[in-house]
Amino acid sequence: MGTSVADLVLRGGPVHTMAGSAPATALAVRDGRVLRTGSDEDVADLIGPGTDVVELGGRAVLPGINDAHLHATWLGALWPHTLFGDTGAPGMAPERPLTTPAERRAAILRAGDLLAALGITSYTEPGLGPGEDAGSTGAFGTSVVEQYRDLAAEGLLRARVTALWLYGELDGPSTLADFQAGLATVDGAGPDPERLNFAGVKIFADGIPPMRSAYTHHCYADGSRAELLVAGGDDAEREANLTRMVLDAHRAGLQVGLHATGDRSIDLLLDAVARARADHDVDLGHYVIHGDLVSAAQLDRMARLGVGLSAQAGIAVRTVGVVDAAMGEGRAASAWPFQAALDAGVPLCLTSDSPVLPPDWRREIAAADRWMGPAADRRQRLETLLRCYTVHPARQDGAAAWKGTLAEGMVADLCVLAADPLELTAAELPDVDVDLTVLGGRVVFERTR
């Protein structure tokens, strides 16, 4: 047996590798990586006296879930509260500011426990840095960065974390000068980039449609127009400054996650990425965050430029009325075009934006299925939406070579569900328990049954 003996074997249930491989019922892990998938018989020779064997009994194995837009530190501070109720627009967050390094550390750890219980093994903290050092929540400044780095060095992070730097205010203004000063001091180094990686920068281009602050080509129902959040003397200067931010980040080798809900702000990103790639043709995985009002033509262009989309189905189904009130009756029906994005070949990440919404990916998949309407092939629809929480986020993280699927040699990040999701409807998925979560071959959550 020697070195080929597995540390962990799961057998006796469907293993959905998301890698296009043959159907499997077993998976073997060694040294934190997938050693082999196949039938129970295919992994039998890898079981030794020290192998931990998990009998699935029909339970299903998925790649670990990756929430590609989740404010974990803020979530840890607010949970179980979220900004959204069951319907309507977001409200005021509870007043629970994090004021000390110890409180921020505890919030990150609390979020880690919550996410592990949901099968989440990776997430993106979309916006940490000096722009929020004086922020009211205390959940986004450089002290949070320090806590993440300490926890990573101590091996205490319960998930893999990708972070974006923030050189302006959260949901607020930024300046070109502050952004450029921030780029000059970027430090993405960490003890293990597979556990903590500062991949790029977040820029707030605009707000959201219900608040009439999305930057669009059209007037709102009341005749008003929005401005970009990037500082400048007029629209032209603000647009030029945003473009310069994207170009400078690209030239620095940094991914850009642009908070852009309006079609006009999305056009600015795509124009800037086209210019950047004409000068330096490398795909850095730039992406649109939210993209509520993205058009079909923009989706086609995003696919050609390698620009991804990170969106929230739960927000779509909750805000139809307020979006119609702001944009005009019936406008919400054409917003959030998830199926069109997938058809165009845009790597779509479904995310929670927690604590805006609860961090439950099962509910987000059910919401996306509801928003997209009836599916010709229910099983194919579910597999496609699961890829929006596994394969596509790994691509967004620049990590598709080592996570996001369960192909041989990939990291052994696993989510074990009490039932096979591909045998269910999307509406049934939220009621399926997460039984086991494995991070790098190590169990980080096991449900008491």
Side-chain angles (χ1 to χ4, degrees):
M1 288 180 285
T3 59
S4 64
V5 173
D7 301 319
L8 172 67
V9 165
L10 299 94
R11 65 184 181 186
V15 176
H16 300 298
T17 67
M18 300 292 161
S21 52
T25 61
L27 178 145
V29 175
R30 182 169 178 82
D31 295 332
R33 300 272 170 169
V34 176
L35 182 61
R36 186 182 301 168
T37 61
S39 67
D40 291 11
E41 293 75 17
D42 289 333
V43 303
D45 65 317
L46 302 176
I47 300 174
T51 303
D52 183 9
V53 178
V54 175
E55 301 292 353
L56 293 170
R59 294 178 293 170
V61 180
L62 303 172
I65 301 301
N66 187 341
D67 192 321
H69 189 89
L70 181 151
H71 306 281
T73 313
W74 199 20
L75 170 64
L78 298 187
W79 188 255
H81 296 286
T82 60
L83 275 64
F84 267 91
D86 291 333
T87 59
M92 295 297 293
E95 292 292 335
R96 293 182 185 169
L98 302 172
T99 60
T100 68
E103 288 176 347
R104 294 176 185 113
R105 178 185 176 96
I108 294 169
L109 291 173
R110 186 179 186 216
D113 289 341
L114 170 63
L115 300 178
L118 289 169
I120 295 172
T121 57
S122 293
Y123 64 84
T124 295
E125 271 270 16
L128 301 175
E132 273 293 307
D133 281 350
S136 61
T137 67
F140 302 96
T142 50
S143 178
V144 175
V145 174
E146 292 165 3
Q147 296 311 308
Y148 266 116
R149 284 182 164 157
D150 287 348
L151 289 167
E154 296 166 35
L156 295 178
L157 289 178
R158 303 292 298 279
R160 305 181 191 277
V161 180
T162 299
L164 300 179
W165 290 105
L166 181 64
Y167 298 116
E169 295 179 21
L170 188 80
D171 292 316
S174 60
T175 70
L176 178 59
D178 286 345
F179 186 84
Q180 291 176 327
L183 290 186
T185 62
V186 163
D187 177 11
D192 181 356
E194 289 192 357
R195 294 300 177 109
L196 176 63
N197 182 38
F198 288 83
V201 293
K202 181 177 184 179
I203 306 170
F204 281 90
D206 57 9
I208 57 175
M211 303 302 293
R212 294 175 174 82
S213 54
Y215 193 56
T216 74
H217 288 293
H218 308 286
C219 291
Y220 286 92
D222 62 2
S224 64
R225 286 184 178 272
E227 295 180 355
L228 285 174
L229 291 174
V230 175
D234 55 22
D235 282 346
E237 185 178 359
R238 286 186 284 270
E239 291 184 359
N241 288 343
L242 174 57
T243 299
R244 175 51 55 191
M245 289 177 174
V246 176
L247 292 173
D248 287 351
H250 184 93
R251 289 163 185 163
L254 296 171
Q255 179 186 56
V256 173
L258 186 76
H259 174 118
T261 62
D263 53 355
R264 190 170 177 181
S265 54
I266 294 169
D267 271 340
L268 291 170
L269 174 67
L270 298 180
D271 289 345
V273 172
R275 283 181 57 184
R277 295 201 62 173
D279 294 337
H280 183 49
D281 191 15
V282 58
D283 184 358
L284 295 175
H286 305 311
Y287 63 103
V288 174
I289 297 171
H290 307 310
D292 303 13
L293 304 178
V294 65
S295 70
Q298 288 173 331
L299 290 170
D300 288 339
R301 197 175 179 205
M302 288 168 67
R304 293 195 301 272
L305 291 170
V307 173
L309 176 61
S310 174
Q312 299 77 36
I315 291 177
V317 300
R318 286 168 171 81
T319 60
V320 171
V322 288
V323 169
D324 279 350
M327 305 294 300
E329 190 66 29
R331 184 65 179 87
S334 61
W336 301 285
F338 302 136
Q339 187 61 59
L342 293 165
D343 291 343
V346 174
L348 171 65
C349 297
L350 292 175
T351 74
S352 67
D353 199 9
S354 192
V356 175
L357 300 171
D360 192 335
W361 58 276
R362 298 164 298 183
R363 292 171 62 174
E364 286 302 299
I365 284 180
D369 179 73
R370 174 182 167 189
W371 186 258
M372 293 161 68
D377 185 330
R378 173 197 54 77
R379 183 183 178 95
Q380 182 59 51
R381 165 72 66 77
L382 264 171
E383 182 172 353
T384 295
L385 295 179
L386 285 169
R387 292 175 70 85
C388 296
Y389 261 108
T390 54
V391 177
H392 297 171
R395 185 263 182 195
Q396 178 181 295
D397 291 344
W402 56 269
K403 73 173 182 179
T405 73
L406 298 178
E408 182 177 330
M410 304 290 274
V411 292
D413 295 351
L414 317 173
C415 171
V416 178
L417 295 180
D420 185 354
L422 299 190
E423 297 301 324
L424 305 172
T425 66
E428 293 172 317
L429 184 59
D431 294 324
V432 177
D433 288 319
V434 173
D435 276 0
L436 193 72
T437 306
V438 177
L439 178 66
R442 181 173 65 89
V443 175
V444 293
F445 169 78
E446 186 167 8
R447 184 173 70 92
T448 303
R449 292 190 291 168

